[in-house]
């Protein structure tokens, strides 16, 4: 048995936090490997247009995402760059969490890379506001075989349901 002294509870809590983080990291890396190479859902992909800003809207039952991107294709075997800007508006009145993902797809519709665009955190007080809107900008390296993008999300509703 290990004695932690007067700060024992704090140390034990910190150790548990670190173990939980490591377990979560292992699960996320494993899940990413399961997703890569699978086909994205039909009808959700957006053909990338190179060299000029493009805009679009993607709506789900819990939110609407307006996006703009600028895509510069890779030269030979180098990675290209996808500059992505989003504006997310929550449409559900009570939503405990929301994560939005960007999938990069090859010509066959297979996922070759994924990036999380947004994660609210669970029951973050700022996120719980009904009229929440978030503007986000990110730069994503795009493998040479990238031709389309697609989106996915997970959400948890206040009554315990999830998508």
């Amino acid at each position: 048995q290990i004695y932690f002294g007067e700060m024992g509870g704090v140390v034990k809590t910190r150790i548990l936090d670190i173990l939980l983080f490591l377990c979560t990291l292992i699960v996320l890396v494993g899940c990413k490997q399961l997703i890569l190479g699978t086909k994205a859902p039909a009808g959700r992909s957006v053909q990338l247009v190179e060299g000029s800003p493009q805009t679009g809207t993607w709506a789900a039952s819990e939110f609407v995402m307006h996006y703009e991107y600028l895509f510069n294709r890779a030269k030979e075997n180098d990675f290209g760059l996808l500059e992505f800007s989003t504006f997310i508006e929550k449409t559900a009145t009570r939503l405990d969490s929301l994560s939005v993902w960007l999938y990069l797809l090859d010509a066959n519709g297979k996922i070759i890379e994924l990036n999380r665009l947004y994660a609210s955190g669970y029951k973050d007080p700022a996120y719980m506001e009904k009229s929440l809107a978030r503007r986000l900008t990110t730069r994503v390296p795009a493998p040479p075989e990238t031709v389309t993008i697609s989106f996915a999300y997970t959400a948890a509703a206040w009554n315990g349901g999830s998508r």
Side-chain angles (χ1 to χ4, degrees), residues 38-112:
T38 62
K39 282 203 171 240
R44 287 194 192 173
S45 63
V46 176
Q47 187 74 32
L48 288 172
V49 176
E50 187 178 3
S52 64
Q54 303 294 312
T55 60
T57 300
W58 185 57
S61 57
E62 295 87 357
F63 68 97
V64 174
M65 181 177 76
H66 307 280
Y67 62 88
E68 178 178 303
Y69 73 84
L70 176 62
F71 178 60
N72 291 304
R73 186 165 301 285
K75 306 296 184 236
E76 294 184 23
N77 291 330
D78 291 338
F79 274 57
L81 185 64
L82 180 62
E83 296 181 48
F84 203 85
S85 180
T86 61
F87 181 70
I88 298 174
E89 297 176 277
K90 186 170 71 168
T91 55
T93 54
R94 275 295 297 229
L95 201 57
D96 291 336
S97 67
L98 173 66
S99 291
V100 180
W101 298 85
L102 171 68
Y103 292 162
L104 304 181
L105 312 174
D106 66 10
N108 298 317
K110 289 186 178 179
I111 300 168
I112 54 177

Side-chain angles (χ1 to χ4, degrees), residues 1-68:
Q1 193 170 23
I2 299 172
Y3 176 70
F4 290 104
E6 293 179 15
M7 296 293 288
V10 174
V11 172
K12 287 179 187 176
T13 301
R14 187 70 181 144
I15 290 171
L16 288 175
D17 288 346
I18 291 169
L19 288 174
L20 181 61
F21 170 76
L22 290 174
C23 290
T24 303
L25 185 62
I26 290 167
V27 168
L28 288 176
V29 169
C31 288
K32 181 176 181 178
Q33 294 307 312
L34 290 175
I35 292 172
L36 293 179
T38 62
K39 282 203 171 240
R44 287 194 192 173
S45 63
V46 176
Q47 187 74 32
L48 288 172
V49 176
E50 187 178 3
S52 64
Q54 303 294 312
T55 60
T57 300
W58 185 57
S61 57
E62 295 87 357
F63 68 97
V64 174
M65 181 177 76
H66 307 280
Y67 62 88
E68 178 178 303

